[in-house]
Amino acid sequence: MAEKAKVITVFGSSRPKEGHTDFAEALELGRALASAGFAVCTGGYGGVMEGVSRGAREAGGRVLAVTSSFFGSRVNRWVDEETRMGTWQERLFELVRLGDGYVACKGGTGTLVELAVVWEMLNKKAMEHRPFVVLGDFWQPILDRVREVERGHASRWGESSDPLVHQAPTPINAAQFLASRLASKGSR
């Protein structure tokens, strides 16, 4: 029996439209993740979520989405399987639960919350270690500022000694990093 594909949950803005550079990067990320053998999971709506979903689907990948009745929006047409939650908080934690690894793309306050929740859960060991990538340099100033607080003193938390969030300059680099980390980790 074939092993089930690892799932990469991708977070990102709902704002970019087709033709925008952030949408094009999301398409490329979806393709790269599917080509590396991953299923993708997003929040299921437009923007980066749609770009990743479309890129993965066009590359033959499986596309999952976790939506919420809170938003009142329809899932994008590239999704194979939708899980609908009642609240945005339930949606967030289901997106986290489903991921074997994560990518945070450029985004606003929603993406910031998603990045912070996953990072904190990894840092405090509220879940087993899973690879986490930020795509591009958009989040780097925030990572740097938080690390100023987390590092340089004795602490039992993960970020104090080893970066829990990796920065990847391109979608292909993100997919390669996740593939190497998940291959060395084995099955979850």
Side-chain angles (χ1 to χ4, degrees):
M1 187 164 149
E3 184 178 328
K4 192 172 182 181
K6 300 270 188 211
V7 175
I8 303 301
T9 296
V10 180
F11 305 111
S13 176
S14 63
R15 294 173 186 86
K17 304 289 182 217
E18 189 166 0
H20 190 278
T21 56
D22 293 340
F23 190 92
E25 184 175 63
L27 274 169
E28 186 181 344
L29 177 62
R31 287 183 190 118
L33 291 170
S35 294
F38 295 118
V40 299
C41 182
T42 73
Y45 300 122
V48 167
M49 296 172 278
E50 182 173 5
V52 167
S53 299
R54 178 177 166 186
R57 177 72 104 48
E58 288 177 349
R62 185 167 146 245
V63 179
L64 312 174
V66 181
T67 60
S68 171
S69 53
F70 172 81
F71 294 111
S73 299
R74 297 178 75 100
V75 68
N76 74 64
R77 67 187 178 116
W78 305 100
V79 170
D80 296 312
E81 296 174 41
E82 177 187 13
T83 301
R84 192 144 180 94
M85 308 303 286
T87 68
W88 72 265
Q89 297 95 326
E90 292 169 329
R91 174 182 178 245
L92 168 59
F93 285 100
E94 185 66 4
L95 285 163
V96 173
R97 187 188 73 76
L98 290 173
D100 293 296
Y102 310 95
V103 179
C105 300
K106 185 176 174 182
T109 57
T111 309
L112 176 61
V113 167
E114 293 158 344
L115 184 156
V117 165
V118 172
W119 194 7
E120 180 66 352
M121 289 178 75
L122 290 169
N123 191 38
K124 297 300 191 292
K125 298 178 177 68
M127 66 177 170
E128 65 183 32
H129 182 75
R130 300 175 194 173
F132 191 12
V133 176
V134 293
L135 183 56
D137 60 5
F138 180 80
W139 296 110
Q140 199 60 51
I142 291 171
L143 298 177
D144 291 342
R145 294 304 299 223
V146 171
R147 286 174 176 153
E148 287 176 18
V149 174
E150 294 291 332
R151 294 194 175 157
H153 56 86
S155 174
R156 63 187 175 138
W157 307 124
E159 187 65 38
S160 67
S161 60
D162 187 30
L164 299 170
V165 183
H166 175 80
Q167 190 269 338
T170 69
I172 291 171
N173 294 132
Q176 290 171 338
F177 174 81
L178 291 163
S180 70
R181 288 297 169 99
L182 288 169
S184 65
K185 181 181 172 188
S187 296
R188 159 157 101 137

